[in-house]
Amino acid sequence: MKIKSQKDFLSGVLLILVGGAFAIGATNYNFGIAVRPGPGYFPFGLGIILALLGIVVLTSAFTSKRTDGDPIGKIPWRPLLCIVGAIVFFGLALPRLGFVISFPLMIIMTAAGGSEFTWKDAVLNAAILTVMSYLIFIYGLQLTIPLWPALS
Amino acid sequence: MDLIANLSLGFATALSLQNLLYAFIGCLLGTLIGVLPGIGPVATIAMLLPVTYGLSPTTALIMLAGIFYGAQYGGSTTAILVNLPGESSSVVTAIDGYQMARRGKAGTALFTAGFGSFFAGCVATLVLAAFAPALAELAFSFGPADYFSLMVLGLVGAIILSSGSILKAICMILMGLLLGLIGTDVNSGVMRYTFGIPALFDGIDFVCVAMGLFGFAEVISNLSLKDKRETFTNKVSGLWPSMADFKRMLPAVFRGTTLGSVLGILPGGGAVLSSFAAYTFEKKISKYSDEFGKGAIEGVAGPESANNAAAQTSFIPLLTMGIPSNAVMALMVGAMTIHNITPGPQVMQNNPELFWGLIASMWVGNLMLVILNLPMLGVWVKLLTIPYRFLYPAILVFCCIGVYSLNSNVANIYITAILSVFGYVLAKLGCEAAPMLLGFVLGPMMEEYFRRALILSQGSYSTFVTNPISLSLLVATAGLITIMAVPSIKKKRQEAFQED
């Protein structure tokens, strides 16, 4: 047995895992009966169907006529980590450091995810975007966003 | 005449100063984003949602709709001028439009696109106004079983739109439905899959899903590709087409409009599908079929009219039945929900000024776009020279602020971060996010109708097939699946998406 499509193989695995997890999770909830379906009824059914279809996708990975192996390709760690890191950082920092500090830092972090990163561009971009966002969201739309570091 | 009374109510609403202003802002922002490649209409609307939080529901929807068709206009402008379709619905426009531009007829091509879109927009507005009330009337007679089957049909129809494997698309729908069930179950009050996390008690906010799956995942994908965007500016001159061009263009505009209006109403139809269909159709029937690919004016007129007509008529299933037919409409459902409006047939009765105002504003918006676009071409083309490294941080931070301001809760930011990784993994595996978003939006409603149908039928599944409306919808669904499985059609479908 040779995996002829990496993408399909991994998709199948993912689908089975997600479907299975939802179906197993659904067993914690009341099923009810068909006359009065409980909260577990619908997700259990959907989870099972998803897992079954996942098996079909998984098998198709072995029967595929592709010859190139349909590889998933390289994982771009740098953009992935920088961007997700920046988002999480923003979530952590906003309530503590406030918009004025966390916002430009986040922009520099996201900029570091690109392949053409230079400090000059990143800082310039951070400055422009911070001022712009301040004007649009805080001054213009009056969204409630903590501005300065929380002292307590 | 009801129609006239309704339309005048609509125009009175749409022409109020505030609504005009926001329609204008929406069109402007939409065009702006449409011009920029690398961010689609779904991410755009999701990103700009926070701007509408403080507005009245009518104004908010008018603005969002403006963004939507503005994006279409902008997408075709860049498709013609620099062979870069800003949106997937203008992919086919790039084929002949760009060739026309290379032959020095950029102005004519732009005029054709603008005129075709405007004409299609006018017709589609009338179609919407004429058919929507009748359909809503019909929707009132639907029972829970019928609604459930309608949603099945809508979801299956939507996957014609996805370019990859149909099987995987169905899986994505299921996954979306399951994600949609996270949160408190409305019937029993049981918390499902929340792991005790308070931010999940009300379910995952759909803005997080849209931004994670579309905004962030798209940016990560784009960054992993090398930025090799060439930018060059053509001189645009001679907007007005010659009489000969006009004669060739006009019938194509009519055909495109008709095709687009019809395909837009169908579940799963929408701008992308209709522009592909219109292009194929024009190529087939044209006397000049050898010119296609080398700058045939019909190749611009047909698809451009079709995609605009479809963009507008795809509001019909949303406004009358509450069924979104594509990912953009799914966002509209979310936007309406934020403003406490449940999409469905009751919108027309309870909020007539919203319903008709939105319809009228589409026409107003189309007019604005024609006026706005032609003189501002130079500005749009200039925008293309902004390097992506300056753009994407802006996209990301706007999304983050939008997510945070949903309810001033950072938990939403974390949820979005997780979903963006998930979205990226799915994209890597060749699974499309659009069907998932649709499933996510429809999940809770579908479960609700499913349960109600079973309760009404006292637990008998046969209710889904003994009910004539439900039965015919399910038969249509089965037909759709069969058609898509037919080898020759399967091949055609793959070919059509080759250029995607």
Side-chain angles (χ1 to χ4, degrees):
Chain A
M1 288 285 261
K2 200 166 159 264
I3 297 173
K4 291 193 181 117
S5 168
Q6 263 189 35
K7 281 186 185 170
D8 284 355
F9 180 79
L10 290 173
S11 314
V13 172
L14 181 74
L15 294 170
I16 295 170
L17 287 178
V18 173
F22 269 99
I24 292 169
T27 54
N28 294 324
Y29 312 121
N30 182 13
F31 261 59
I33 35 171
V35 183
R36 193 160 286 276
Y41 202 90
F42 201 63
F44 183 78
L46 285 182
I48 294 288
I49 300 174
L50 184 61
L52 289 178
L53 289 178
I55 294 174
V56 179
V57 174
L58 189 70
T59 19
S60 75
F62 295 99
T63 56
S64 163
K65 289 192 187 69
R66 297 186 77 112
T67 47
D68 59 354
D70 198 13
I72 49 165
K74 265 211 256 153
I75 296 167
W77 287 111
R78 184 171 165 169
L80 199 60
L81 289 178
C82 281
I83 287 175
V84 176
I87 303 170
V88 174
F89 164 79
F90 187 64
L92 287 171
L94 187 64
R96 296 176 178 84
L97 300 176
F99 172 85
V100 178
I101 295 174
S102 52
F103 201 72
L105 285 177
M106 179 202 179
I107 295 165
I108 293 173
M109 280 176 81
T110 56
S115 50
E116 305 164 28
F117 176 75
T118 60
W119 277 102
K120 198 181 126 227
D121 283 354
V123 171
L124 180 73
N125 203 4
I128 298 173
L129 282 177
T130 309
V131 173
M132 237 172 73
S133 310
Y134 178 82
L135 290 177
I136 298 174
F137 293 105
I138 296 168
Y139 183 77
L141 295 168
Q142 313 219 313
L143 300 179
T144 20
I145 294 170
L147 277 182
W148 302 104
L151 293 175
S152 52
Chain B
M1 262 294 272
D2 264 1
L3 185 64
I4 293 174
N6 288 332
L7 277 179
S8 53
L9 168 68
F11 276 102
T13 314
L15 291 177
S16 77
L17 199 60
Q18 193 197 17
N19 288 342
L20 268 181
L21 178 69
Y22 280 99
F24 178 76
I25 298 175
C27 289
L28 194 68
L29 287 174
T31 317
L32 186 84
I33 311 270
V35 168
L36 302 171
I39 173 162
V42 179
T44 312
I45 297 179
M47 190 169 99
L48 295 174
L49 262 180
V51 179
T52 69
Y53 291 166
L55 302 175
S56 77
T58 311
T59 313
L61 281 178
I62 285 179
M63 180 171 166
L64 291 173
I67 295 170
F68 175 43
Y69 36 78
Q72 310 246 318
Y73 266 72
S76 44
T77 306
T78 50
I80 291 169
L81 287 183
V82 283
N83 200 16
L84 270 176
E87 307 300 335
S88 40
S89 59
S90 42
V91 168
V92 285
T93 311
I95 306 173
D96 277 285
Y98 181 62
Q99 292 303 326
M100 283 180 76
R102 279 187 61 187
R103 289 184 0 202
K105 286 167 82 177
T108 314
L110 286 170
F111 177 87
T112 309
F115 174 79
S117 302
F118 179 66
F119 178 82
C122 296
V123 174
T125 304
L126 284 177
V127 172
L128 191 52
F131 283 105
L135 263 175
E137 204 62 47
L138 181 72
F140 273 121
S141 63
F142 274 37
D146 308 326
Y147 260 114
F148 178 80
S149 304
L150 180 69
M151 288 179 184
V152 174
L153 175 64
L155 286 172
V156 170
I159 58 182
I160 309 176
L161 269 185
S162 63
S163 50
S165 121
I166 293 178
L167 177 63
K168 278 190 192 167
I170 294 180
C171 293
M172 285 301 100
I173 291 179
L174 289 171
M175 208 181 259
L177 290 171
L178 283 168
L179 278 185
L181 298 182
I182 293 175
T184 311
D185 170 36
V186 275
N187 281 324
S188 58
V190 173
M191 310 263 189
R192 290 187 291 188
Y193 311 104
T194 55
F195 305 103
I197 303 166
L200 290 177
F201 290 173
D202 286 332
I204 302 177
D205 203 291
F206 103 105
V207 176
C208 301
V209 179
M211 286 194 190
L213 293 184
F214 288 87
F216 293 140
E218 254 171 42
V219 169
I220 300 174
S221 289
N222 284 337
L223 282 183
S224 60
L225 307 168
K226 273 267 165 285
D227 187 13
K228 47 173 186 243
R229 196 142 47 89
E230 299 174 64
T231 20
F232 52 98
T233 19
N234 297 34
K235 224 169 61 195
V236 184
S237 57
L239 277 177
W240 290 97
S242 66
M243 209 51 213
D245 279 339
F246 204 74
K247 269 196 187 129
R248 279 180 61 179
M249 167 183 118
L250 213 53
V253 168
F254 288 139
R255 288 189 292 263
T257 304
T258 316
L259 199 63
S261 304
V262 174
L263 287 178
I265 302 177
L266 297 182
V272 185
L273 180 72
S274 15
S275 62
F276 277 101
Y279 188 77
T280 321
F281 186 67
E282 287 300 328
K283 198 172 166 183
K284 216 155 230 152
I285 63 155
S286 173
K287 278 185 286 186
Y288 313 94
S289 52
D290 53 315
E291 269 184 45
F292 276 76
K294 301 188 198 99
I297 194 165
E298 294 92 341
V300 175
E304 276 302 306
S305 318
N307 73 25
N308 212 45
Q312 260 161 276
T313 52
S314 58
F315 274 92
I316 294 181
L318 173 75
L319 291 173
T320 56
M321 315 229 176
I323 308 276
S325 56
N326 54 45
V328 176
M329 292 303 127
L331 272 171
M332 290 289 174
V333 173
M336 288 168 99
T337 319
I338 287 180
H339 290 281
N340 283 325
I341 290 172
T342 319
Q346 68 286 350
V347 173
M348 206 182 304
Q349 286 190 342
N350 302 347
N351 310 74
E353 75 297 331
L354 180 142
F355 184 87
W356 294 105
L358 183 60
I359 291 180
S361 85
M362 290 179 186
W363 187 82
V364 176
N366 272 296
L367 187 65
M368 273 181 192
L369 280 165
V370 172
I371 300 169
L372 181 75
N373 254 2
L374 296 177
M376 286 188 70
L377 276 176
V379 181
W380 302 139
V381 175
K382 258 263 150 42
L383 270 177
L384 282 170
T385 55
I386 302 178
Y388 194 60
R389 66 173 186 280
F390 284 112
L391 283 179
Y392 78 84
I395 299 172
L396 292 175
V397 292
F398 283 1
C399 287
C400 275
I401 293 191
V403 169
Y404 175 77
S405 53
L406 268 175
N407 51 6
S408 299
N409 189 346
V410 286
N412 280 331
I413 298 184
Y414 303 137
I415 294 171
T416 313
I418 295 168
L419 285 167
S420 58
V421 176
F422 191 58
Y424 180 72
V425 169
L426 290 177
K428 261 291 196 204
L429 295 177
C431 300
E432 282 204 61
M436 191 163 147
L437 186 67
L438 279 179
F440 177 78
V441 167
L442 285 182
M445 280 194 262
M446 235 175 136
E447 184 189 24
E448 182 61 25
Y449 286 123
F450 177 78
R451 281 169 152 182
R452 268 196 236 159
L454 281 187
I455 292 171
L456 279 178
S457 73
Q458 292 173 335
S460 157
Y461 282 100
S462 63
T463 176
F464 294 107
V465 288
T466 48
N467 210 309
I469 302 177
S470 167
L471 177 67
S472 42
L473 290 168
L474 287 178
V475 168
T477 312
L480 214 54
I481 295 179
T482 326
I483 290 171
M484 284 192 281
V486 172
S488 65
I489 291 177
K490 212 168 153 186
K491 217 173 124 220
K492 266 262 155 58
R493 186 173 159 274
Q494 276 160 1
E495 275 168 17
F497 282 108
Q498 277 297 295
E499 286 125 316
D500 213 337

